[in-house]
Amino acid sequence: AKVIRNGRLRLNGLKITDLDVKVKNGDVLSHLVHRHEPPILATPIEFLFKNDEMFVINKPSSIPVHASGRYHFNTLVNVLRCQYGFNDIFTVHRLDRLTSGVMIFARTTKKSRTLCKLLQKREIQKEYVCLVNGKFPETITVDEPIKCVSHNIGVCQITCDEGEGKPSETIFQLLAFDGARSLVKCKPKTGRMHQIRVHLQYLGFPIINDPIYNHPAWELPKFGKSKPIPVEKVEEMVKIFIKQIEEQENSTKVETTKESKVLLKSKISDDHIMQHPLDYGGITLTQTDLQAIYAKLNPEPDDLCVDCRALKNIPQMTMYLHALSYSSPDWEFRTKLPFWAQEFEFPTKPDYKEYVHF
């Protein structure tokens, strides 16, 4: 009744004023939806290269490439179209939402086919950097097959069952060690889903803040260390992740009112939000912080929207995995080291400056 009285429900394009109106065959009912999307970082997209056929960016973390789940507007493709004026965009490859780094896009179907063929023939070399706990081996190669055990939530695992899984290979090299953490270079020779993350978990060195493959329920001291995780454990983890996703979708942290939003807005500035990118990698966010951030994200709540009155979990924004460079026989695109890798001291300082060779 509230929705009808507020003019949100329409019959054949007209506001419904009579609650006793009867709907007939052929009538069209429509209503206005107040949609909430998870926030993303406001990091500007850095362009490494651009011409009439293609462009290359340094993708920020936190943003998915395509629409999926609750993300419809806050996607990389949509931001490129709406904020940067790119109408024709052809994705050549993908990066996970939490992964940052080099991403290549084609602007014509012809260039898209050319780049995709290079990837299929494995003529494009890729380098990533990641951060793991402990002293990583100087160099090691993993060539175990990978199987997707859940397409719905995206969980993959090493499999030893003959005929299952797809061939995969990643070469790892230790770049630096600070006494507690290792900065590792990863060179995937194949392009399987979550390949680097799965191979690192298999070695017993999952990425420090990987929300899937470094989840405490994996019991990695017990499993991992170059041994496949038992099928029963993988199935148990899939159920845990499904339950976790459902709880995140439905959970309400704190009921907020207009008065509390106004009060909290005065306690936090836009600069504070920008300086705390919510990567949970050393940033401690109190409940007040979360309330204040939501007040900024949603300054004018809708009285009919349940999400406007409820404070939900803010998603993780960063994972310590970065696509450092992509190269072919004819070109190379490289970014600077990400912020979480710049504090390391290297035995021999590598030339990890941003550059483009074409």
Side-chain angles (χ1 to χ4, degrees), residues 35 51 89 96 105 111 113 153 161 167 172-173 197 211:
R35 185 186 297 279
N51 65 13
I89 302 175
D96 295 334
F105 292 87
K111 191 64 175 178
R113 285 193 293 267
I153 60 174
D161 296 334
F172 297 101
Q173 178 188 348
R197 299 164 66 184

Side-chain angles (χ1 to χ4, degrees), residues 268-276:
I268 192 167
S269 66
D270 291 320
D271 289 338
H272 176 84
I273 295 175
M274 291 300 295
Q275 291 167 10
H276 294 74

Side-chain angles (χ1 to χ4, degrees), residues 58-122:
N58 183 3
K59 173 192 173 294
S61 62
S62 82
I63 182 169
V65 176
H66 296 287
S68 61
R70 295 183 66 195
Y71 293 88
H72 297 273
F73 183 81
N74 288 342
T75 68
L76 187 58
V77 169
N78 196 59
V79 168
L80 287 168
R81 283 177 178 153
C82 296
Q83 297 186 19
Y84 294 89
F86 288 92
N87 294 319
D88 297 319
I89 302 175
F90 300 89
T91 51
V92 177
H93 63 107
R94 296 186 184 185
L95 294 178
D96 295 334
R97 180 181 72 85
L98 295 176
T99 305
S100 57
V102 175
M103 260 206 89
I104 302 171
F105 292 87
R107 303 181 72 176
T108 65
T109 53
K110 181 180 179 181
K111 191 64 175 178
S112 176
R113 285 193 293 267
T114 300
L115 292 170
C116 287
K117 283 181 181 178
L118 288 176
L119 280 170
Q120 290 168 1
K121 294 179 180 179
R122 299 181 184 174

Side-chain angles (χ1 to χ4, degrees), residues 111-147:
K111 191 64 175 178
S112 176
R113 285 193 293 267
T114 300
L115 292 170
C116 287
K117 283 181 181 178
L118 288 176
L119 280 170
Q120 290 168 1
K121 294 179 180 179
R122 299 181 184 174
E123 294 181 9
I124 292 181
Q125 305 299 314
K126 297 165 280 187
E127 285 187 15
Y128 290 69
V129 287
C130 68
L131 200 57
V132 303
N133 279 320
K135 178 67 181 293
F136 196 82
E138 290 295 329
T139 181
I140 191 169
T141 299
V142 179
D143 56 2
E144 301 291 341
I146 290 178
K147 173 186 176 182

Side-chain angles (χ1 to χ4, degrees), residues 9 44 48 93 113 206 223 234-235 249 253 264 269 292 328 347:
L9 193 64
L48 304 177
H93 63 107
R113 285 193 293 267
F223 301 110
V234 175
E235 291 174 349
E249 289 293 324
K253 282 281 188 178
L264 290 165
S269 66
S328 78

